[in-house]
């Protein structure tokens, strides 16, 4: 029994060469669809990651007047302590002008010809800055969210020497919006594409069946069970699905390596994430399953 | 082994078989004769479930064809081999592979199958053609491939539709001898044929004559003539008295 099944699977794989153009077309379609699904999933992963880092937080970027003297610098470091006592404070990062310069130097050093910034260190134009994350207190209702932001940023404005406070978009609301988009657009699109995959493969398998209808008829006449006739075709479908999604994954990985850092600049600071291992497994398993399923449906009259 | 009771079959308005009844025991040999369009192929098709039973009853190799489930049909066909008028072999495969096919489908081991295939191919005088593609063979050779494929599984029942149609007299007689050998192994056989010569050479065989879907003659009591036959003959005699040929006794009937 296992030997027959192995032989039939072998037949299925060899069957790929019988009608190469039809197979190539199907494979291309499968690659395209898998690729699209992969892109969507990559977007989902990237944004999910971004939002999970920022969920529930609102960030305030505070700029002090540039070129502080020693006394002012001391005052600013004291204020940084003070900020931590504002209700809802989560975490913060602060940069003295020197630190900011160093940071900039190291960033530039990576991919710039300007290696040495010491010439501006004497007269550092960068302001002292801080990036502070706050979360709204639990008992504050949604309605008061805007007020809470205003209050908090007012507290920061009120610190002596502060020149500007900017609030990042409401990450929490962004998160909610994203979840909606994900539920109502991304998931249906992915489900649709997956069904499409099944249809494409089902159709090819059906065509393969029709193209060898003479052989199928003879097999039926000599007493072959339906699974005996269908298994090679199903294997053919599953192999196409698997090959198509594997190729799509390789393409995605390649593209990811090219574009990983394109959004990695200050206001966005977005690292495009590749699919998680679970997603990769799904991207391989689901099309193969859909190939089998589509094949099965295609073979039912 | 084969039991047919009041079997009728229609294609739309046209009744291709009318109230057919006969029974065959294990190892019996039946010639199905009759003019073109008499319903021979239709009857054979019913016997291996290529057509559904519409009216009447049919039992073949322990399978009640009236109530057979689609999943059982392959099991029926493992007991019932068929040789077709149009061969139905795979032209792009070799003689050997075509004959091997039914054994492959049954999942028999390579070694075991190989011996059987070679033996049957030799018995049909195809051993020199064994590795040729069937599409390259002559009609008679293709027919022998079809016969070899039918016999390779030692079927309980063999149905053959004009198996000698493409063979010269000498080969037809040899083929019939082969059929007789298999009959000795207990295979029940029904052979549809036009050839009077063949039937004359095998007077021991049972014969049913079909005309226009009716059994109009048989040479043993296991078959029932069409019930309305007497009346019909009477009518014909009255309406067309000057033509004695219209009531010609069917071949083998009444002996
Ligand atoms: N699929 C079909 N649809 C409609 N009519 C059919 C079909 N198959 C057979 N018939 C009709 O049924 C009748 C019996 O046909 P059948 O093929 O059984 O004859 P036969 O005895 O095998 O003839 P031959 O000796 O030429 O092979 C014929 O009149 C034929 O036209
Ligand atoms: Mg016929």
């Amino acid at each position: 029994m296992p030997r027959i099944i192995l032989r039939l699977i072998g037949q299925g794989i060899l069957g790929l060469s019988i009608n190469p153009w039809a197979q190539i077309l199907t494979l291309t379609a499968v690659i395209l669809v898998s690729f699209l699904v992969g892109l969507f999933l990559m977007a989902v992963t990237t944004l999910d990651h971004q939002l999970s880092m920022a969920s529930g937080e609102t960030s305030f970027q505070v700029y002090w007047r540039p070129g502080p003297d020693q006394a002012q610098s001391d005052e600013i470091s004291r204020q940084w302590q003070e900020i931590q006592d504002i209700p809802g404070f989560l975490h913060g990062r602060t940069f003295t002008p020197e630190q900011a310069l160093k940071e900039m130097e190291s960033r530039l050093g990576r991919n710039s010809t300007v290696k040495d910034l010491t010439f501006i260190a004497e007269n550092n134009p960068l302001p002292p800055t801080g990036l502070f994350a706050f979360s709204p207190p639990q008992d504050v209702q949604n309605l008061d969210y805007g007020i809470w932001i205003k209050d908090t940023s007012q507290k920061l404005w009120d610190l002596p020497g502060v020149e500007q406070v900017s609030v990042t978009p409401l990450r929490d609301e962004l998160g909610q919006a994203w979840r909606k988009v994900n539920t109502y657009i991304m998931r249906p699109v992915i489900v649709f594409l997956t069904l499409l995959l099944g249809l494409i493969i089902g159709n090819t398998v059906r065509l393969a069946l029709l193209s060898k209808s003479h052989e199928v008829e003879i097999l039926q006449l000599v007493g072959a069970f339906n699974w005996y006739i269908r298994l090679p075709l199903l294997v053919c479908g599953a192999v196409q699905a698997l090959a198509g999604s594997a190729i799509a994954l390789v393409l995605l990985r390649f593209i990811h390596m090219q574009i990983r850092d394109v959004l990695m600049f200050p206001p966005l600071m977005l690292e495009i994430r590749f699919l998680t291992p679970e997603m990769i497994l799904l991207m391989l398993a689901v099309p193969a399953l859909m190939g089998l399923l589509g094949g099965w449906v295609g073979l039912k009259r | 082994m084969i039991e047919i009771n009041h079997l009728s079959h229609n294609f739309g308005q046209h009744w291709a078989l009318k109230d057919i009844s006969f029974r065959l025991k294990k190892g019996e040999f039946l010639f199905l004769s009759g003019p073109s369009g008499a319903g021979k192929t239709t009857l054979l098709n019913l016997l291996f479930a290529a057509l559904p039973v519409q009216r009447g009853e049919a039992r073949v190799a322990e399978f009640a064809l009236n109530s057979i489930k689609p999943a059982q049909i392959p099991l029926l066909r493992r007991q019932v081999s068929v040789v077709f008028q149009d061969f139905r072999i795979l032209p792009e495969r070799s003689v050997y592979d075509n004959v091997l096919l039914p054994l492959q489908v049954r999942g028999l081991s390579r070694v075991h199958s190989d011996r059987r295939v070679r033996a049957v191919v030799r018995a049909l005088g195809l051993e020199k053609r064994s590795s040729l593609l069937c599409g390259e063979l002559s009609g008679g050779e293709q027919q022998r491939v079809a016969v070899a494929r039918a016999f390779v599984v030692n079927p309980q029942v063999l149905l053959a539709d004009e198996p000698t149609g493409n063979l010269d007299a000498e080969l037809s007689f040899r083929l019939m001898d082969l059929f007789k050998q298999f009959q000795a192994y207990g295979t029940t056989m029904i052979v549809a044929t036009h050839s009077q010569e063949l039937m004359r050479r095998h007077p021991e065989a049972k014969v049913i004559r079909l005309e226009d879907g009716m059994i109009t003659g048989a040479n043993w009591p296991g078959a029932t003539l069409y019930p309305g036959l007497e009346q019909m003959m009477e009518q014909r005699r009255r309406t067309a008295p000057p033509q004695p040929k219209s009531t010609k006794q069917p071949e083998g009937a009444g002996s």
Side-chain angles (χ1 to χ4, degrees):
Chain A
M1 205 60 170
R3 215 183 36 231
I4 305 189
I5 290 173
L6 280 182
R7 185 161 52 84
L8 290 175
I9 291 176
Q11 259 180 34
I13 294 167
L14 289 180
L16 288 167
S17 63
I18 289 174
N19 210 338
W21 280 113
Q23 312 289 357
I24 286 172
L25 277 177
T26 308
L27 195 65
T28 315
V30 171
I31 293 172
L32 193 73
V33 173
S34 299
F35 185 78
L36 277 178
V37 171
L39 276 185
F40 273 119
L41 286 176
M42 250 163 77
V44 169
T45 323
T46 301
L47 285 168
D48 264 353
H49 179 75
Q50 200 61 26
L51 287 166
S52 75
M53 289 199 316
S55 73
E57 301 182 3
T58 302
S59 298
F60 296 84
Q61 180 105 40
V62 184
Y63 302 86
W64 280 265
R65 256 187 294 283
D69 56 30
Q70 192 54 47
Q72 283 167 325
S73 293
D74 290 345
E75 161 68 10
I76 288 168
S77 1
R78 203 186 48 73
Q79 286 175 6
W80 287 346
Q81 296 302 314
E82 217 170 277
I83 287 171
Q84 298 187 14
D85 296 332
I86 297 177
F89 177 84
L90 290 174
H91 52 85
R93 266 189 93 188
T94 54
F95 299 90
T96 61
E98 294 75 36
Q99 284 168 330
L101 189 64
K102 252 195 201 127
E103 181 82 0
M104 199 165 134
E105 217 169 12
S106 72
R107 278 284 160 79
L108 287 174
R110 252 196 262 147
N111 47 13
S112 163
T113 48
V114 187
K115 286 255 160 57
D116 191 8
L117 288 172
T118 44
F119 68 96
I120 50 170
E122 301 300 313
N123 199 355
N124 194 336
L126 296 175
T129 56
L131 185 66
F132 306 100
F134 289 82
S135 73
Q138 294 302 319
D139 48 5
V140 175
Q141 293 299 303
N142 267 352
L143 271 177
D144 302 332
Y145 190 57
I147 297 172
W148 170 76
I149 285 184
K150 240 184 218 158
D151 284 355
T152 311
S153 62
Q154 195 55 54
K155 282 191 187 116
L156 296 168
W157 269 114
D158 289 347
L159 296 169
V162 167
E163 194 176 59
Q164 200 193 333
V165 174
S166 64
V167 185
T168 57
L170 310 178
R171 283 274 169 91
D172 225 33
E173 290 190 350
L174 202 68
Q176 272 173 16
W178 166 242
R179 252 167 258 130
K180 270 198 186 126
V181 168
N182 198 7
T183 323
Y184 293 110
I185 300 176
M186 289 303 208
R187 279 189 211 163
V189 164
I190 287 171
V191 167
F192 171 76
L193 287 175
T194 310
L195 286 178
L196 190 66
L197 209 66
L199 273 174
I200 293 170
I201 292 169
N203 196 44
T204 316
V205 169
R206 183 150 183 76
L207 278 180
L209 183 77
L210 291 180
S211 77
K212 51 185 246 175
S213 61
H214 183 61
E215 186 182 341
V216 167
E217 190 196 343
I218 287 170
L219 283 171
Q220 282 172 343
L221 289 174
V222 299
F225 284 109
N226 266 335
W227 62 261
Y228 184 96
I229 297 167
R230 287 175 180 174
L231 190 63
L233 295 170
L234 288 181
V235 167
C236 208
V239 165
Q240 276 182 328
L242 204 62
S245 47
I247 293 174
L249 279 172
V250 169
L251 280 177
L252 280 170
R253 180 76 215 184
F254 178 76
I255 287 174
H256 175 247
M257 288 188 329
Q258 307 302 310
I259 63 164
R260 175 165 40 198
D261 289 332
V262 291
L263 298 179
M264 200 63 178
F265 48 81
L268 275 171
M269 296 302 276
L270 209 64
E271 184 197 354
I272 295 173
R273 316 266 307 173
F274 195 58
L275 308 170
T276 61
E278 297 86 42
M279 282 177 172
I280 294 175
L281 269 181
L282 278 179
M283 286 259 315
L284 290 172
V286 171
L289 271 178
M290 285 311 288
L292 283 175
L293 205 75
W296 187 254
V297 172
L299 290 176
K300 296 244 159 188
R301 251 160 299 171
Chain B
M1 185 57 58
I2 296 181
E3 219 181 299
I4 309 293
N5 284 315
H6 305 294
L7 192 67
S8 297
H9 198 90
N10 66 311
F11 297 106
Q13 294 293 314
H14 178 71
W15 287 91
L17 290 177
K18 302 170 189 165
D19 207 347
I20 305 287
S21 301
F22 69 89
R23 54 190 56 198
L24 281 180
K25 294 203 214 47
K26 183 174 163 68
E28 289 189 320
F29 188 106
L30 171 71
F31 277 125
L32 202 57
S33 78
S36 184
K40 303 183 293 294
T41 302
T42 307
L43 179 57
L44 294 182
N45 281 341
L46 278 162
L47 294 184
F48 68 99
L51 288 173
V53 174
Q54 295 171 339
R55 275 207 205 174
E57 288 171 2
R59 288 187 73 82
V60 175
E62 312 308 320
F63 290 89
L65 299 188
N66 298 69
S67 55
I68 195 166
K69 295 190 189 74
Q72 284 180 307
I73 291 179
L75 296 173
L76 169 76
R77 292 184 181 168
R78 289 174 184 208
Q79 307 298 333
V80 180
S81 284
V82 191
V83 180
F84 295 92
Q85 234 169 342
D86 54 356
F87 321 140
R88 308 219 191 153
I89 51 181
L90 291 166
E92 73 285 1
R93 297 220 195 148
S94 70
V95 171
Y96 184 95
D97 285 346
N98 265 283
V99 179
L100 182 65
L101 200 64
L103 300 175
Q104 262 185 341
V105 161
R106 284 161 176 75
L108 262 66
S109 81
R110 193 89 205 180
V111 185
H112 189 65
S113 325
D114 184 65
R115 216 179 312 131
R116 302 252 301 261
V117 173
R118 282 178 196 285
V120 176
V121 165
R122 197 176 319 113
L124 281 148
L126 288 167
E127 67 268 45
K128 291 217 180 74
R129 301 272 181 276
S130 164
S131 54
L132 290 184
L133 297 186
C134 282
E136 299 169 349
L137 300 179
S138 74
E141 286 165 337
Q142 294 192 10
Q143 194 148 39
R144 281 184 279 158
V145 172
V147 172
R149 191 185 65 194
F151 276 127
V152 77
V153 293
N154 268 332
Q156 286 199 48
V157 175
L158 179 98
L159 308 175
D161 204 349
E162 305 281 355
T164 58
N166 288 273
L167 305 181
D168 59 35
E170 173 60 24
L171 270 174
S172 330
F173 299 147
R174 267 183 43 200
L175 186 63
M176 281 307 300
D177 291 340
L178 197 76
F179 278 25
K180 285 286 172 186
Q181 274 175 37
F182 275 96
Q183 193 196 347
Y185 286 117
T187 302
T188 308
M189 282 185 243
I190 302 184
V191 176
T193 183
H194 284 120
S195 166
Q196 309 288 329
E197 177 66 18
L198 218 56
M199 289 186 272
R200 211 168 297 133
R201 282 179 63 112
H202 294 278
E204 74 289 353
K206 300 190 162 44
V207 178
I208 282 178
R209 180 164 174 86
L210 275 182
E211 269 178 278
D212 198 17
M214 302 172 280
I215 298 186
T216 57
N219 66 352
W220 92 112
T224 314
L225 298 191
Y226 183 67
L229 199 61
E230 288 298 324
Q231 268 176 302
M232 274 179 50
M233 298 248 186
E234 186 61 31
Q235 193 134 18
R236 267 193 227 175
R237 220 173 286 136
R238 248 184 275 134
T239 50
Q243 284 173 299
K245 276 202 167 169
S246 64
T247 57
K248 191 190 89 177
Q249 268 300 34
E251 187 68 27
S255 61

